[in-house]
Each structure stands twice: as C-alpha cells, then as structure tokens.
Amino acid sequence: MRGCASVNERRARRAQVAARGRVGAAVAVAAALGVAGLAAPAAAADVTWFVDAGAGLDAEGCGEAPGPAACATIGAALERVTAGDVVEIAAGRYVETLRIETPVTLRGAATDLVTLAGAAEREPVVTVDADGTVALSDMTIHPEQPSGTYAPSVVHVGENRAAELTRVAIRAGEDEGFAGTGVLALSGSTVAIEGSSISGVLNGVAVGSSGSAGVEISESILTSNREGIRVLAGTVTVTGGELSENTTAGVRTVGTEAVVDLTGTTIRDNGPRESGSTHGGLVLQNGGTIIGDGLVLSGHSYGVNARGGSVTLRNSTVTDNGWIEEG
C-alpha cells in the first residue's frame, strides 16, 4: 500500500520538522522568560490534498500533489483526510453529493471557477456531520435536481455541528435545480457565513428546529429567494450585506425564541407592495425579537410587519414602504 505509506511518511516528516521547531522555540521562550522546563504547544501536522476534475484520477494514493496526481473527485479526497486537513479544489465542475464527517477545509480555486452540483435526488448537496468545524470557501454550490424535484437544502448543518462558508455562492432555480433552503442550521449548530451569496431557494438561511442554533452572516447577499432569513429558534447576527427581492420577507421570525440582530444592512424590495399581509422587510410571525442599527428599509408592502414580539430600530432609514404595521 504505497499510497498509505506515502501519506504516513508525509505526516511523519512534518511531525519531525515541527518537533525540531518546538524544541528550539521552547528553549528560546524559556530563556526569555527565565522559566525552566517551559514547553511550547504542539503544532499540528495537517496535510493538504488536491482535487482536479480535469487532470486528476481517483486511483490509490491520489491527492498528494496537484495535476495528474490529484484525485478527480472531492469525495475521493475526503476518504483520505484526517481532522484539520485542507482539500484544494482546482477549477472545474464536480457533480457529487458530500457527507463530511471529518473537520476539514474545502477550498476552491475561486467562486466562479469551481462548481459543486448535487448528484443525489432529494438530498442536500453538502451535509456537515463532523465533530468539529467544516469550512467551505471559494466555490459555487447548486442542487442540480431533476425537473419536478428539489433538494431539501443545499448545505445542511446537522445538530450540534459547525460550519463556515466564505465566498460561497449558493444558487438554485430553473437552470440549477430547486432547493428548499440554501443553508439549514439545525438545533445546537453554529454557522458563519461571510462574503457569500444565496439566491433562488425558498429560504436563504433557515435557523433552528426543535432547539436553538446560532448563525453569523457578514457582508453577504441573500436575494431572489422566497424568504431571505427564516428563524424558528436561535440567534442570527447580520452585519452589512443586503437582503433584497425576496418574494415574501427579508427576515421572518417564527416564534418567541427567534432573535435577529442586524447592523448596517440594506433590506429592500422584499414582499413588494402588491403582496400579502404577512409579507414585508422585517416580519415577526407569532413573536420573536428583531434589533436593527443603521439599516435601510425600503420598497416593501410592510417595512416592519410585527404580529407580536419586539422590534427596535436605531439610526435607520425606513422609506418608500406601503406600511409599518404592529399587531
């Protein structure tokens, strides 16, 4: 099994180098602090794996180098990773359904160069089920469902799991396939979304189920969904970015355990003037709490539609909406 031996050798070499560095570092720090026996913390010997749909091959030992030595699929690389490893994904289209059970980083070449399209009908494209944080960056993900079907979610973060999405574009629709939710954060999960976009799904981000979840969204655009953010239970923090042209709501809280805190976000043209009475920019359905600072709210049937719950807006501009209603 040359492939396994090669990987073990790589890890052993990195561990040896790290060990030599730790000895030197420990001596230097101990001398500086005048403390005998001081030891520096161990450094992880993480490994980088390579995936290339065009040049690679899913053969024994694949992924240890870029180009022809790379794996052809992300799934093949995931079979070889250990906690903390990085999978570098070359430009290309990858038709795969991934269940990630090891805390790793999947890093694409660029958002517009790497596309991950779901391969399994009525399943999430990515399911995060690792005991530790899974990071996805610099790629486009869409469900690729057959006509007449849809994926329940594009990225599914299981209960008590953690995920980070950076510069990820989640898209669905007639050309990309349909999906219920862009990012689904189940009870006890934590999710960070940064510099990303979600469009064409029913709910851009859905939070909580039987219990609370925590989601942080920064400098991201959620547009052309049915709802931008839907919170059943948990806390969502939104910084900057835009919630726009979602057909029923920019933000919707459903229940008393939902809390949304927004700062510097533009919320426009969600639930247009001719839409229903449960639509709007900020919609509190059966309670919840929404706090906004430095928001721009415009172009809705209801700028704020509060049927129970609490809304606090500071330093915000609310203009060109049909109504601001509190029930």
Side-chain angles (χ1 to χ4, degrees), residues 54-75:
L57 180 66
D58 286 349
E60 182 180 346
C62 74
E64 296 182 27
C71 296
T73 63
I74 302 168

Side-chain angles (χ1 to χ4, degrees), residues 76 117 162 183 194 239 272 279 324:
V183 177
E194 181 179 357
T239 304
H279 298 178
I324 295 179

Side-chain angles (χ1 to χ4, degrees), residues 209-213 231-235 253-260 286-289:
S209 51
S210 59
S212 297
V231 187
L232 281 71
T235 300
T253 62
V254 183
T256 58
E257 297 183 24
V259 178
V260 182
N286 303 323
T289 301

